[in-house]
Amino acid sequence: MPFTEKLLTVPPPVEVAGRWIKRYHVTADPEGIAPEVEAAAYAILPELLPEPDGTPPATFVVLHRGGDDGAYLNAYSWVWDNVLHFGGAAAGQPVLGCPDRDPTHFVRPGLPWIGCVWELPPILHERDAWVRHMLTPDVPDLDAYLADRPAEGTTGDRS
């Protein structure tokens, strides 16, 4: 099957475990990610977050619903002022160590993978937004960073 981009939606930020979470959802389904998959992914999210280190408590996540039974949650948290900490979870993908094909049964595979081609586009935007709002100004502006969201559309043509 030829490669095709997927749909990217950008729900509003939420607060989880004392961190502000910017959210990206990736799926080929025009209906979006099923509410039960989203709820299960965000239930495991606190396990993927680092301990506070003095960096403003901001994270962005990519929740990806694969074309099969798989669902993936990648959490990228800002630490050490300018470094991304990664935590990942997967559901419904036995090849990654998931115990079944249930897309709501998230586990932590412990692999060093940081994302597939559909999950990586938000990293470019978030890098630039962090520099623009947190590192360049004399006074970091977390609210401006959280409000800086790309347009929804597809995962491609983001450069």
Side-chain angles (χ1 to χ4, degrees), residues 6 26-29 64-72 93 118-119:
K6 293 188 178 183
V26 174
T27 183
D29 186 345
H64 178 190
R65 186 67 165 96
D68 53 11
D69 295 326
Y72 314 93
Q93 189 58 263
W118 295 287
E119 297 162 356

Side-chain angles (χ1 to χ4, degrees), residues 8-16 18-26 41-42 45-46 48-50 55-64 72-79 81-89 114-116 118-135 142 145-150 158:
L8 178 71
T9 57
V10 187
V14 295
E15 189 174 1
V16 174
R19 294 185 75 85
W20 283 102
I21 312 295
K22 293 176 75 173
R23 302 182 296 159
Y24 295 90
H25 291 181
V26 174
Y42 290 121
L45 179 57
L48 308 179
L49 302 174
T55 302
T59 295
F60 62 96
V61 298
V62 179
L63 176 56
H64 178 190
Y72 314 93
L73 180 65
N74 298 337
Y76 306 94
S77 298
W78 291 105
V79 297
D81 295 326
N82 59 16
V83 173
L84 282 178
H85 170 279
F86 175 76
I114 65 162
C116 73
W118 295 287
E119 297 162 356
L120 295 176
I123 293 174
L124 175 63
H125 175 84
E126 291 301 318
R127 180 263 182 213
D128 291 345
W130 190 257
V131 169
R132 188 170 35 253
H133 301 293
M134 302 301 292
L135 300 180
L142 183 59
Y145 169 73
L146 295 172
D148 191 329
R149 301 172 14 183
R158 298 256 164 204

